[in-house]
Amino acid sequence: MPGSDRRTGDLLVVTATAVTPVAVQDPPLLNASGCHQPYQLRSIIEVHTAAGITGISEAYGDDATLALLAVGVAALPGLDVFDLHGLTSRVTEVLGNVVSSSFTELIGPASRDKTVAQVVGAFEVALLDIQGKALGRPVADLLGGAVRDTVDFSAYLFYKWAEHPAGSSSFAPDDWGTALDPDGIVAQARRMVDTYGFGSLKLKGGVFAPEEEIEAVKALRAAFPDHPVRLDPNANWTVQTSLRVAKELEGELEYLEDPTPGISGMAEVAARTSLPLATNMCVTAFADIPESVRLGAVQVILSDHHFWGGLHQSQRLAGICDTFGLGLSMHSNTHLGISLAAMTHLAAATPNLTYALDTHFPWKTEEVIQPGVLNFSGGALRVPTGPGLGVEIDRDALARLHEQYQRCGIHSRDDLAHMRLAQPHFTGRRPRF
Ligand code: GKR
Ligand code: MG
């Protein structure tokens, strides 16, 4: 231990990092790729410092991500937690030419820059947590200060089965039941709105024929006339189909998310509809922005600190959106409370992030953080006021979820294989409609 005359600031260097994969139960939610598996994987990151302050973060937990994080960990020892540029250069160096295999097909093709961004983003959040704890200030203050005390989220509606395909899970079915038609989706929305107070609704589409999903949107609009509605078929429609749907839903949607694959496909659709198009699939890195802006392909970008390189880089994206008159929303993938806290701080400190954020939160029955900080009220979360992220790991939960990871036998997300347990001939080909 260094001499007692040293200031805490001198000790804010990384000494060790732990990455713990966990598995959390997940319902059989349907999407363009297939069906969610019974367990979703996350990794919980703990960065320790010489000062005895530990920062936490959360990332994907599939094998490809764990391999990347294992390489990235080597970049951290000795790093000053305020040296975020140093984090980027060190991670870039240790990763070399590694390009991550795409761990989910829903965020566009892999690239070296994206690979670096994923690793930097995973560790940057933990470093910001340490900075905040050392200064006694919430992460939002480190990002320029909160411009709002609460952050709005959107309900995330999914077509779903009542149970996972036979023999594939060992826990009791969730209590949401089946949602396979407009009535089922409206009932699901009703419960989400009643329970959490959400003021906007997002429907995960690309599952059924577009006509059925149009009916579901119209049913939502009739049942919740004051709630903006979004539809996201994850690029499962051709340009022609997208235009047909867009025509039917002009004026009905807040935005249409990723109707068709690729920047040029989106541009073709955008040129012939007044509906704003949003994406978390075709513009997923800074390198995608120039072409997208040139072609007018998207009007709203869904940021995601896990892919864009952390909270500061997400704010850089916000600045670019502001400059080019683009809207900014936030993407969610299955996440736990650490990422939810990070998303909330980021949104609070990003003035032009005015759309309600996506969240998978209502679908989660297991959590890794201690309860009491992130409670939905009126569809919003209050920005945590404690130092750093303002949330702490529940160590018993972490141990149990890690043990569940070791038992569950899942090492990467495979919605296609899970769907095929029920529908052996499901192709997963896209666009299918
Ligand atoms: O959870 O099935 C899902 C979603 O489809 C997710 O994987 C997407 O990444 O929510 C995401 C999206 O907006 O595309
Ligand atoms: Mg999406």
Side-chain angles (χ1 to χ4, degrees):
M1 190 66 192
S4 56
D5 58 332
R6 296 195 62 185
R7 292 175 304 127
T8 308
D10 298 331
L11 302 175
L12 288 174
V13 292
V14 177
T15 49
T17 303
V19 178
T20 309
V22 297
V24 290
Q25 295 178 2
D26 204 28
L29 306 179
L30 304 177
N31 60 28
S33 305
C35 178
H36 282 210
Q37 293 162 287
Y39 298 94
Q40 291 285 333
L41 310 178
R42 302 293 286 177
S43 51
I44 306 304
I45 297 163
E46 296 172 85
V47 176
H48 304 286
T49 59
I53 301 175
T54 296
I56 58 177
S57 178
E58 180 190 325
Y60 284 62
D62 58 302
D63 276 350
T65 303
L66 291 175
L68 282 182
L69 294 176
V71 176
V73 160
L76 299 182
L79 179 70
D80 184 317
V81 301
F82 284 89
D83 186 9
L84 300 179
H85 292 302
L87 171 68
T88 303
S89 58
R90 283 173 175 226
V91 166
T92 305
E93 193 180 328
V94 293
L95 285 178
N97 289 322
V98 173
V99 174
S100 163
S101 55
S102 187
F103 47 83
T104 158
E105 70 278 32
L106 298 179
I107 55 136
S111 75
R112 183 164 182 265
D113 285 352
K114 280 198 227 174
T115 306
V116 169
Q118 285 159 30
V119 178
V120 168
F123 295 128
E124 185 235 32
V125 170
L127 299 188
L128 289 171
D129 188 35
I130 296 167
Q131 292 182 18
K133 285 171 173 164
L135 295 169
R137 305 295 291 248
V139 163
D141 283 3
L142 306 171
L143 301 173
V147 295
R148 50 185 75 89
D149 296 333
T150 60
V151 171
D152 289 336
F153 287 79
S154 168
Y156 203 158
L157 312 174
F158 278 83
Y159 290 107
K160 72 180 287 294
W161 294 323
E163 296 183 34
H164 281 284
S168 62
S169 75
S170 53
F171 51 85
D174 65 84
D175 59 5
W176 288 86
T178 305
L180 297 170
D181 57 20
D183 286 348
I185 290 296
V186 169
Q188 190 185 96
R190 179 75 60 201
R191 175 170 162 187
M192 284 226 185
V193 169
D194 288 350
T195 309
Y196 300 100
F198 292 123
S200 344
L201 307 169
K202 166 168 170 167
L203 174 62
K204 176 58 54 177
V207 175
F208 295 118
E211 286 63 32
E212 294 182 47
E213 298 184 355
I214 291 169
E215 286 316 307
V217 169
K218 289 187 173 169
L220 286 170
R221 293 287 295 143
F224 301 92
D226 299 329
H227 284 61
V229 176
R230 313 154 181 184
L231 175 61
D232 176 13
N234 281 123
N236 207 3
W237 302 338
T238 63
V239 168
Q240 287 315 318
T241 302
S242 304
L243 287 169
R244 199 173 81 233
V245 177
K247 198 165 164 214
E248 284 284 331
L249 293 179
E250 294 269 346
E252 301 287 345
L253 292 177
E254 181 178 36
Y255 53 69
L256 177 58
E257 189 174 321
D258 286 311
T260 203
I263 290 175
S264 60
M266 290 282 279
E268 277 188 72
V269 178
R272 286 149 72 191
T273 180
S274 65
L275 277 180
L277 301 190
T279 188
N280 61 276
M281 296 180 74
C282 72
V283 180
T284 59
F286 292 101
D288 298 326
I289 294 176
E291 192 195 0
S292 154
V293 167
R294 189 173 58 79
L295 296 178
V298 302
Q299 289 68 52
V300 181
I301 294 179
L302 282 86
S303 67
D304 185 326
H305 71 268
H306 303 90
F307 304 138
W308 285 86
L311 306 188
H312 279 289
Q313 290 301 314
S314 299
Q315 288 195 305
R316 181 178 154 216
L317 170 64
I320 292 172
C321 287
D322 197 34
T323 300
F324 288 104
L326 298 172
L328 181 66
S329 189
M330 197 184 284
H331 169 253
S332 153
N333 213 310
T334 303
H335 59 79
L336 292 170
I338 302 173
S339 279
L340 186 59
M343 292 159 71
T344 305
H345 283 284
L346 173 61
T350 307
N352 59 326
L353 215 177
T354 48
Y355 286 103
L357 280 52
D358 287 356
T359 180
H360 284 64
F361 179 86
W363 297 110
K364 295 273 77 60
T365 53
E366 297 175 305
E367 186 49 88
V368 76
I369 58 165
Q370 295 171 18
V373 178
L374 301 175
N375 300 313
F376 279 95
S377 173
L381 286 180
R382 190 152 284 285
V383 184
T385 51
L389 292 173
V391 295
E392 291 299 335
I393 289 175
D394 174 338
R395 303 228 64 94
D396 291 340
L398 179 63
R400 190 172 49 74
L401 297 177
H402 177 58
E403 201 254 323
Q404 187 158 268
Y405 166 82
Q406 289 172 314
R407 250 188 304 115
C408 78
I410 296 174
H411 289 276
S412 58
R413 180 174 172 176
D414 195 344
D415 294 11
L416 173 63
H418 199 55
M419 179 63 128
R420 282 182 175 159
L421 293 178
Q423 298 179 12
H425 302 296
F426 182 79
T427 63
R429 180 179 52 80
R430 264 186 290 174
R432 276 198 302 289
F433 301 105

